[in-house]
Amino acid sequence: MVDMSVQIGRVSLANPVMPGSGTFGEGLDDVMDLNRLGAIVAKTITPEPREGSPLPRVVEYKDAFLGAIGIPNKGPEHFVREIASFYRQFSPPFVASISAPTVEAFGKIAADVSKPGIDILEINISCPNLEKDGKAFAMDPDATEKAIRRITECTDLPVWAKLSPNAGDAPTVAQAAEAGGAEALTVANAMVGMAIDAEAMRPRLGNITGGMTGPATKPVILFMAYQVARSVSIPVIGCGGISTAEDAIEYMLAGASAIQAGTVNFIHPAAMLDIIDGMEAYCRRKGIERVSDLTGALDDDEGMKLEQLAKSA
Amino acid sequence: MSEPAPKAAADLERFPVGEMIGTVVENTAVNDGYNHLVLDAPRGAATAKAGQFFHLLCPPTGEHTPFLRRPMSIYRIDRGQGRLEFLYKIVGGGTKALATLKAGDGLNIFGPLGVGFTLEDGWKHVLMVARGVGLATLAPLAELAAERDVRVTAILSARSPEFMMSEEYLRSVGAKVITVNDADGTSNVDDVERTVRGIVEAEGVDLLATCGSNRLLLMLQCLAREYGIAGQVALEQLMGCGIGMCFVCVLPFRTPDGLAYRRVCKDGPVFPIEEALSW
């Protein structure tokens, strides 16, 4: 019997597997038993309702998804009344994902959604910061720390900061989020990209730029998770191209305490159950009693350099 | 990346939607550019309803590697034999890949998905007006109506007579079929409108259903409003997840609060005719 539970700050999860924000919906209740998940993560909401980006919203690649959805949502009041109350019937902790254009607005929406039925706040800081010329909070350690600090002042719920892979210096932003009071870090959001139709001489996305997700992003974000886990003392939740149990285990070995599966839910809607079962089978096969023992268990001694090899020969 | 095995929950009542492997019974060309795919898929056939769709994981070929699934409206639900049938036009990488499937091959399908057609109690006569590939989408409505003893008249519009692939099938389920085509000039919208008005005024119609043409949609919207008849339109759109999570497949609709995006996969693909802006 493998102990699949993991501890993320104050919160204990029955297993380390949860959906990435924006890749989950109530429709999955018709597909699988949602009580088997480690946590349920909602789609991001913003202070004001949004209709989302112009069409088209997606470009597909061989193993990636470039999407510009634009965070369509009906605002915090609708979220608390309709969405959070729907998920109260399920046992896993329910994570709200929030975003806002200013530090103050982040604090306000955090307070607005700190209601019964919502257990954790994940902070989407990849959005433009209107106080800094639209530069994303997550690109900027100072803005990240201010936003997270303001949020933690406005809520008693655990706060997870979701970092951006577009930040030049991920460990510094991660440390800023930790200093601001984050209890965990989700590593990471989508990578910004664009696509062009050469024949039409037009962008392929209505929004011009979008976020790239899917298996192709895994090497980049796996490294980011590894790097961030070594530079903070709070748990890291790996999120980037995870489609299989093997992908999830790689993130755990790199230092993640839990994982989020995202784009794979669009293609194999019950993939998270396969990931949970596969992680458990791996632990059993390896004689690992607790899945949490995988966290940071990577043996990362570098290979022997040629000079050393020459000496030892 | 190794493909995870489909994980369809055993309890169909509790979990009616799932990923499953259908076995290809046939996948043959019916005419220039259209294929007829018959899948042995008992689980899917047991739960599917008229107007719903399946989300198909098209197989990778040397030339095409579709990452996302492709939505496909159901042409026929054969509960007796546990089969699902699809009629598709070969256009892009996904459908080209689909066309390579041979009898005996497996195809990963996910569904049934979406809101299908609604037949209200007391309705006696459905008038379907479909064009091109829209014929396939409306076919299950004819069968549903037949099961409920609701009379069906179908006006099928196509470029030329050899595109009338659904005609025989619709007659077999008891529909009265009127065919019009571009080759002999019978399919222009004014003529079709006259035909629809004639049927509505002479026989009475409880539901106008359409798929496949923007001009037919706009004409039927006007007639539905003028005569006070219910209307339903089946729409298509490029999709991501197919189950309402990703918000890729939205289209603008008229709503009580003005124009708003709705998800074709989850809020449709069948919508009240008055809400659609275009097909």
Side-chain angles (χ1 to χ4, degrees):
Chain A
M1 195 63 188
V2 180
D3 178 357
M4 290 294 286
S5 69
V6 294
Q7 190 72 28
I8 306 294
R10 279 178 277 168
V11 186
S12 176
L13 308 181
N15 68 66
V17 179
M18 65 188 97
S21 176
T23 65
F24 190 83
E26 72 280 6
L28 287 182
D29 181 39
D30 292 334
V31 177
M32 62 179 168
D33 181 2
L34 303 187
N35 287 325
R36 288 204 56 204
L37 300 175
I40 291 172
V41 185
K43 193 169 167 58
T44 300
I45 55 162
T46 53
E48 300 299 327
R50 292 165 61 99
E51 280 291 329
S53 299
L55 311 184
R57 289 181 168 183
V58 67
V59 178
E60 69 171 339
Y61 294 89
K62 190 173 167 222
D63 52 5
F65 178 102
L66 182 68
I69 310 298
I71 320 185
N73 76 96
K74 294 179 178 168
E77 195 198 340
H78 173 269
F79 178 77
V80 170
R81 194 179 63 237
E82 303 290 335
I83 299 176
S85 60
F86 171 79
Y87 286 107
R88 287 185 84 162
Q89 63 182 301
F90 304 105
S91 54
F94 182 62
V95 185
S97 169
I98 57 172
S99 196
T102 64
V103 169
E104 261 326 294
F106 257 123
K108 176 152 193 327
I109 191 172
D112 288 345
V113 298
S114 294
K115 297 281 161 64
I118 296 162
D119 303 301
I120 294 152
L121 301 184
E122 185 178 80
I123 318 303
N124 179 351
I125 47 173
S126 297
C127 53
N129 177 355
L130 296 187
E131 291 157 327
K132 289 208 174 175
D133 292 331
K135 183 181 176 187
F137 285 89
M139 304 292 284
D140 176 350
D142 177 56
T144 294
E145 184 174 342
K146 284 196 174 100
I148 300 297
R149 174 159 297 128
R150 182 67 193 134
I151 291 162
T152 54
E153 284 164 5
C154 295
T155 183
D156 294 326
L157 296 177
V159 169
W160 299 352
K162 186 167 183 178
L163 306 185
S164 164
N166 292 103
D169 183 4
T172 306
V173 181
Q175 286 161 356
E178 182 180 26
E183 273 187 38
L185 302 173
T186 305
V187 181
N189 213 314
M191 300 165 64
V192 175
M194 75 184 294
I196 292 173
D197 180 339
E199 275 313 306
M201 298 182 170
R202 289 278 303 155
R204 286 190 188 271
L205 290 173
N207 188 56
I208 303 175
T209 66
M212 180 175 144
T213 63
T217 67
K218 194 181 79 174
V220 175
I221 299 179
L222 182 63
F223 171 62
M224 184 179 167
Y226 172 75
Q227 213 185 5
V228 166
R230 290 151 63 106
S231 47
V232 295
S233 57
I234 52 178
V236 165
I237 300 162
C239 174
I242 297 175
S243 311
T244 63
E246 194 176 351
D247 296 333
I249 291 160
E250 291 172 25
Y251 270 91
M252 298 284 283
L253 294 173
S257 299
I259 66 95
Q260 296 182 346
T263 305
V264 69
N265 300 324
F266 296 163
I267 296 149
H268 300 291
M272 285 185 286
L273 303 189
D274 290 311
I275 294 173
I276 295 167
D277 293 344
M279 292 177 87
E280 188 174 0
Y282 172 90
C283 290
R284 218 179 301 118
R285 179 162 61 80
K286 293 274 191 182
I288 294 164
E289 287 175 18
R290 289 175 299 271
V291 76
S292 58
D293 291 343
L294 292 175
T295 298
L298 181 72
D299 173 3
D300 57 359
D301 280 347
E302 287 180 31
M304 209 182 270
K305 291 199 176 82
L306 187 61
E307 309 86 86
Q308 293 165 307
L309 195 63
K311 266 183 223 155
S312 65
Chain B
M1 183 183 91
S2 63
E3 287 289 320
K7 179 146 276 177
D11 183 351
L12 271 187
E13 289 276 313
R14 175 66 188 87
F15 302 107
V17 180
E19 187 177 354
M20 62 200 86
I21 303 291
T23 306
V24 176
V25 178
E26 64 168 283
N27 184 27
T28 46
V30 286
N31 61 34
D32 191 24
Y34 283 86
N35 263 26
H36 180 208
L37 172 66
V38 181
L39 286 183
D40 204 21
R43 181 195 155 101
T47 49
K49 296 188 186 77
Q52 287 191 302
F53 68 96
F54 275 80
H55 218 15
L56 314 186
L57 194 62
C58 300
T61 62
E63 202 183 340
H64 304 284
T65 315
F67 178 58
L68 297 170
R69 289 174 179 268
R70 295 293 188 273
M72 187 78 64
S73 60
I74 308 163
Y75 173 52
R76 189 165 175 227
I77 307 159
D78 183 346
R79 292 198 176 81
Q81 293 197 83
R83 287 176 176 177
L84 292 169
E85 300 184 22
F86 302 90
L87 203 54
Y88 63 96
K89 192 174 183 179
I90 302 163
V91 277
T95 44
K96 276 178 190 150
L98 207 55
T100 65
L101 290 171
K102 304 272 181 290
D105 288 347
L107 176 65
N108 182 314
I109 66 174
F110 172 55
L113 298 168
V115 177
F117 294 103
T118 310
L119 277 186
E120 286 184 15
D121 291 343
W123 284 358
K124 295 186 182 68
H125 189 197
V126 173
L127 177 55
M128 306 182 348
V129 187
R131 169 118 181 137
V133 78
L135 308 177
T137 306
L138 291 190
L141 173 61
E143 196 158 352
L144 174 69
E147 285 167 15
R148 304 252 200 106
D149 288 325
V150 176
R151 208 152 54 84
V152 175
T153 305
I155 301 176
L156 305 185
S157 169
R159 274 188 308 188
S160 53
E162 63 268 25
F163 276 80
M164 294 298 173
M165 54 205 116
S166 311
E167 183 180 348
E168 200 180 322
Y169 169 57
L170 288 171
R171 287 194 209 280
S172 76
V173 298
K176 180 184 167 194
V177 181
I178 298 162
T179 62
V180 296
N181 64 70
D182 305 353
D184 66 9
T186 50
S187 62
N188 80 71
V189 176
D190 292 341
D191 288 340
V192 176
E193 179 178 338
R194 257 190 298 280
T195 308
V196 173
R197 283 182 183 278
I199 295 167
V200 169
E201 287 168 16
E203 307 174 32
V205 167
D206 302 297
L207 173 68
L208 292 169
T210 189
C211 181
S213 157
N214 203 36
R215 298 174 69 200
L216 291 175
L217 168 67
L218 297 176
M219 181 268 284
L220 291 169
Q221 277 179 330
C222 292
L223 296 191
R225 194 165 48 230
E226 182 182 328
Y227 290 107
I229 304 170
Q232 293 170 20
V233 57
L235 298 176
E236 290 182 351
Q237 171 65 316
L238 181 72
M239 285 184 191
C241 70
I243 194 165
M245 308 189 290
C246 72
F247 289 76
V248 159
C249 68
V250 298
L251 286 175
F253 288 88
R254 289 184 201 96
T255 75
D257 308 321
L259 282 189
Y261 283 130
R262 285 188 182 162
R263 298 163 295 183
V264 172
C265 73
K266 177 87 178 165
D267 304 315
V270 177
F271 290 88
I273 201 165
E274 64 275 15
E275 293 179 5
L277 288 189
S278 62
W279 188 80

